[in-house]
């Protein structure tokens, strides 16, 4: 998404805000003037007179897109009696109308115009759109659409997410066998907290989940690709505190092991992180646990087991209970190759 340059007569996709329930009126007004306009729609069930009615309504409240030169849009906004105006972006005195690049708008329209599809709409703050593999769909109703392939929170299936930054995102399920990798964007993570959590969870799943839980080769390959991408983002980071360095070194060590790397350098980093943490730290014990399992180090595993057994002689804290649950899961199943 960008802001509008000085009016050069070029047609662009501008974003308008229309008061609630006026989106369709504004869209139709623009079309009557010969201007291309778009409002994403979806079906909703509404209760009316005790009966459920299926209604086609705007999917994103107050949002109208129009493609025209800036002067034409300004002329419309100054003449219409409907409550509509440019959606602006930028600093207070430098605010400019928002412009959506043609390619982004084409992808967004291709997905959202299929109102019978199972689409999920999000506000930008409701979905974590991380830098990832950009893909292109081949075949089916979304043939040619580009977006980011990811797993949406709460959804088990793979989702194609097409977004207009700061405005909206829409997700639709796609089959992993009809996507092509367009480009891969990597680099140092800008969301360390989120990527650390994702890296640990992805690594744990690949290392300790039962093999029959990843039954599809496509899903296994997608999991591996996502794991590799997340590891590349996290690996360059260093922790400025013992706690953060411990968290980073653990996730990186597990990621390297999950991808079948030697992990020697990551193991040394993990051991150094252990030395920085206090003997009473449960994070220190977690680092030792995964080093012992993935090392492997049977002697260290036995020492951890003795410590866990000693805890049973006194009331357990919540953190100790959580560690015992983790210890049980990890020690019960050897890591998968």
């Amino acid at each position: 998404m960008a802001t509008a340059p000085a009016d050069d007569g070029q047609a662009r996709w501008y974003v308008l805000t229309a008061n609630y329930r006026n989106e369709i009126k504004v869209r139709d007004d623009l079309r009557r003037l010969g201007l291309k306009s778009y409002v994403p729609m979806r079906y909703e069930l509404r209760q009316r007179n005790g009966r459920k009615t299926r209604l086609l309504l705007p999917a994103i409240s107050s949002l109208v897109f129009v493609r025209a030169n800036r002067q034409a849009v300004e002329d419309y906004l100054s003449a219409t009696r409907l409550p509509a105006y440019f959606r602006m972006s930028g600093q207070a005195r430098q605010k400019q109308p928002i412009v959506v690049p043609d390619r982004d708008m084409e992808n967004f329209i291709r997905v959202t115009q299929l109102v019978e599809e199972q689409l999920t709409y999000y506000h930008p703050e409701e979905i974590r759109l991380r830098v990832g593999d950009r893909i292109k769909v081949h075949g089916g109703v979304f043939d040619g659409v580009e977006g980011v392939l990811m797993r949406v929170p709460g959804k088990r299936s793979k989702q194609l997410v097409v977004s207009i930054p700061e405005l909206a995102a829409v997700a639709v399920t796609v089959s992993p066998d009809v996507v092509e990798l367009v480009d891969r964007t990597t680099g140092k993570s800008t969301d360390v907290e989120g990527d650390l959590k994702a890296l640990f969870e992805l690594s744990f799943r690949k290392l300790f989940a039962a093999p029959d839980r990843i039954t599809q080769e496509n899903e296994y390959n997608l999991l591996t690709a996502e794991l590799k991408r997340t590891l590349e983002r996290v690996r360059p980071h260093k922790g400025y505190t013992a706690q953060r360095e411990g968290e980073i070194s653990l996730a990186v060590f597990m990621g390297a092991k999950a991808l079948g790397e030697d992990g020697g350098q990551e193991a040394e980093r993990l051991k150094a992180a252990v030395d920085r943490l206090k003997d009473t730290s449960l994070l220190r014990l977690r680092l030792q646990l995964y080093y012992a399992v993935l090392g492997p180090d049977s002697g260290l595993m036995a020492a951890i087991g003795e410590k866990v057994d000693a805890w049973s002689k006194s009331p357990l804290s919540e953190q100790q209970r959580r560690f015992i649950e983790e210890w049980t899961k990890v020690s019960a199943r050897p890591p998968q190759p």
Side-chain angles (χ1 to χ4, degrees):
M1 187 178 68
T3 54
D7 189 16
D8 55 6
Q10 294 293 315
R12 296 180 173 84
W13 279 105
Y14 290 94
V15 184
L16 304 182
T17 295
N19 282 12
Y20 178 59
R21 295 184 179 177
N22 282 288
E23 302 95 339
I24 303 305
K25 293 178 182 178
V26 172
R27 181 199 67 184
D28 293 347
D29 256 8
L30 290 164
R31 289 178 177 177
R32 278 191 288 270
L33 293 172
L35 303 180
K36 188 174 182 178
S37 61
Y38 181 69
V39 172
M41 307 289 287
R42 68 176 169 189
Y43 282 109
E44 289 186 11
L45 287 177
R46 294 288 180 88
Q47 196 83 10
R48 285 189 172 180
N49 300 321
R51 298 180 61 183
K52 287 185 177 179
T53 304
R54 191 166 180 252
L55 300 175
L56 187 59
L57 302 170
I60 306 169
S61 178
S62 305
L63 209 61
V64 179
F65 299 92
V66 56
R67 192 174 195 278
N69 63 60
R70 182 167 175 173
Q71 187 60 56
V73 181
E74 289 178 346
D75 290 345
Y76 166 74
L77 294 176
S78 63
T80 183
R81 294 184 178 181
L82 293 171
Y85 46 90
F86 279 120
R87 184 164 291 201
M88 312 294 278
S89 181
Q91 301 298 323
R93 293 187 177 181
Q94 299 175 330
K95 285 192 173 181
Q96 292 289 328
I98 292 172
V99 171
V100 180
D102 284 354
R103 184 66 179 177
D104 291 349
M105 197 66 206
E106 288 167 11
N107 288 325
F108 189 73
I109 291 174
R110 284 287 308 280
V111 172
T112 58
Q113 69 184 353
L114 298 171
V115 294
E116 295 290 350
E117 293 291 326
Q118 293 298 311
L119 303 180
T120 306
Y121 286 86
Y122 298 91
H123 292 294
E125 65 272 12
E126 294 175 327
I127 185 170
R128 183 168 167 264
L129 289 174
R130 294 184 292 114
V131 176
D133 282 347
R134 189 167 183 84
I135 58 92
K136 183 176 183 178
V137 177
H138 292 283
V141 294
F142 301 114
D143 184 51
V145 172
E146 293 186 11
V148 176
L149 186 66
M150 63 177 290
R151 185 182 298 275
V152 175
K155 300 281 186 181
R156 293 177 63 87
S157 57
K158 294 298 180 294
Q159 303 272 309
L160 170 69
V161 176
V162 176
S163 69
I164 298 177
E166 300 180 34
L167 291 177
V170 60
V172 63
T173 301
V174 293
S175 172
D177 60 354
V178 293
V179 299
E180 169 199 0
L181 180 64
V182 175
D183 65 67
R184 171 164 292 151
T185 305
T186 56
K188 197 172 182 180
S189 173
T190 57
D191 180 8
V192 179
E193 196 68 37
D195 278 338
L196 275 178
K197 184 175 183 294
L199 180 56
F200 182 87
E201 291 176 351
L202 289 166
S203 303
F204 189 95
R205 183 181 175 205
K206 196 162 189 286
L207 287 165
F208 299 104
D212 58 2
R213 291 183 183 175
I214 306 177
T215 55
Q216 299 295 324
E217 182 179 356
N218 283 325
E219 183 171 352
Y220 181 84
N221 291 337
L222 286 169
L223 173 66
T224 302
E226 191 173 354
L227 174 58
K228 183 180 297 185
R229 190 170 60 245
T230 310
L231 177 60
E232 289 174 356
R233 290 198 300 270
V234 173
R235 203 195 297 261
H237 280 275
K238 303 293 182 184
Y240 292 104
T241 66
Q243 179 81 11
R244 179 42 60 96
E245 176 59 17
E247 293 167 347
I248 295 174
S249 65
L250 173 59
V252 169
F253 174 70
M254 288 184 65
K257 287 291 187 178
L259 290 171
E261 298 180 7
D262 173 71
Q265 185 175 346
E266 290 77 11
E268 291 301 316
R269 181 178 179 180
L270 187 73
K271 287 192 288 185
V274 168
D275 292 339
R276 290 180 61 186
L277 292 163
K278 296 180 180 179
D279 290 341
T280 55
S281 167
L282 278 177
L283 176 60
R284 185 177 195 269
L285 201 59
R286 286 189 75 222
L287 268 58
Q288 291 176 322
L289 170 62
Y290 287 100
Y291 179 81
V293 172
L294 300 174
D297 187 329
S298 57
L300 182 55
M301 279 291 285
I304 297 172
E306 291 175 3
K307 181 168 290 190
V308 169
D309 289 339
W311 286 349
S312 62
K313 298 176 184 178
S314 57
L316 296 173
S317 68
E318 183 58 32
Q319 287 183 320
Q320 287 174 326
R321 286 194 184 91
R322 286 201 297 267
F323 179 83
I324 291 174
E325 289 177 4
E326 192 171 7
W327 153 265
T328 303
K329 289 178 183 178
V330 170
S331 58
R333 174 176 289 280
Q336 304 302 312

